[in-house]
């Protein structure tokens, strides 16, 4: 395996996915992806318009920093990707564009209410991924 894409949002399930990916990396590049969803155009305090809620952008940045600390603590390096859009789309796109061999995701993320309306991120990824998918419980 050369590249593993990990969906990470800071939730307990995504932490388990990151841990499993680190366990099986065996020299593969670990690409940690965290997406801030686009719900509506938000007014930027600087006067512009942003497609991402600043709170979501901050949460994405914090989650990736947490993932970086974890991997560094294990003596592993990673690539950390701040995506914009629906998490499943962002993760699948990263896997397609980078030629990933595996996607590792948790069974649940932080947003249970959205899952009821839109379906789960993990289910969408399993159906659209260009490579194998490991769903971690």
């Amino acid at each position: 395996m050369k590249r593993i894409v990990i969906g990470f949002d800071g939730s307990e399930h995504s932490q388990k996915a990151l841990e499993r990916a680190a366990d099986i990396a065996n020299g593969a590049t670990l690409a940690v992806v965290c997406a801030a969803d686009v719900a509506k155009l938000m007014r930027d305090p600087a006067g512009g318009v942003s497609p991402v809620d600043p709170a979501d952008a901050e949460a994405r940045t914090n989650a990736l920093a947490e993932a970086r600390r974890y991997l560094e603590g294990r003596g592993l390096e990673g690539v950390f990707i701040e995506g914009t859009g629906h998490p499943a789309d962002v993760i699948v796109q990263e896997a397609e564009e980078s030629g990933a061999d595996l996607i590792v995701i948790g069974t649940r993320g932080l947003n249970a209410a959205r899952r009821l309306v839109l379906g789960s991120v993990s289910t969408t990824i399993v159906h659209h991924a260009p490579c194998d998918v490991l769903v971690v419980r």
Side-chain angles (χ1 to χ4, degrees):
M1 243 183 308
K2 294 182 181 176
R3 187 172 183 96
I4 300 172
V5 171
I6 304 110
F8 189 81
D9 63 6
S11 67
E12 177 185 344
H13 289 273
S14 71
Q15 180 63 39
K16 289 179 181 179
L18 181 64
E19 291 168 6
R20 180 67 58 85
D23 290 344
I24 65 174
N26 197 27
T29 298
L30 297 173
V32 183
V33 178
C34 187
D37 205 350
V38 178
K40 59 185 178 250
L41 290 178
M42 302 292 295
R43 289 234 177 258
D44 186 334
V49 177
S50 171
V52 176
D53 183 335
D56 288 346
E58 183 178 352
R60 174 185 61 192
T61 300
N62 291 340
L64 287 174
E66 179 184 330
R68 181 184 303 272
R69 283 189 298 274
Y70 175 78
L71 290 180
E72 287 174 352
R74 299 252 331 237
L76 299 169
E77 292 183 16
V79 176
F80 302 89
I81 299 154
E82 290 188 357
T84 301
H86 186 275
D89 296 338
V90 173
I91 292 165
V92 168
Q93 181 178 357
E94 171 59 27
E96 288 172 346
E97 291 177 359
S98 68
D101 301 294
L102 179 67
I103 298 172
V104 182
I105 51 175
T107 54
R108 293 187 195 99
L110 291 173
N111 199 334
R114 281 191 55 138
R115 185 172 61 248
L116 290 174
V117 175
L118 300 174
S120 76
V121 170
S122 57
T123 299
T124 302
I125 291 171
V126 166
H127 284 86
H128 297 285
C131 58
D132 292 340
V133 179
L134 173 58
V135 181
V136 179
R137 291 194 174 275

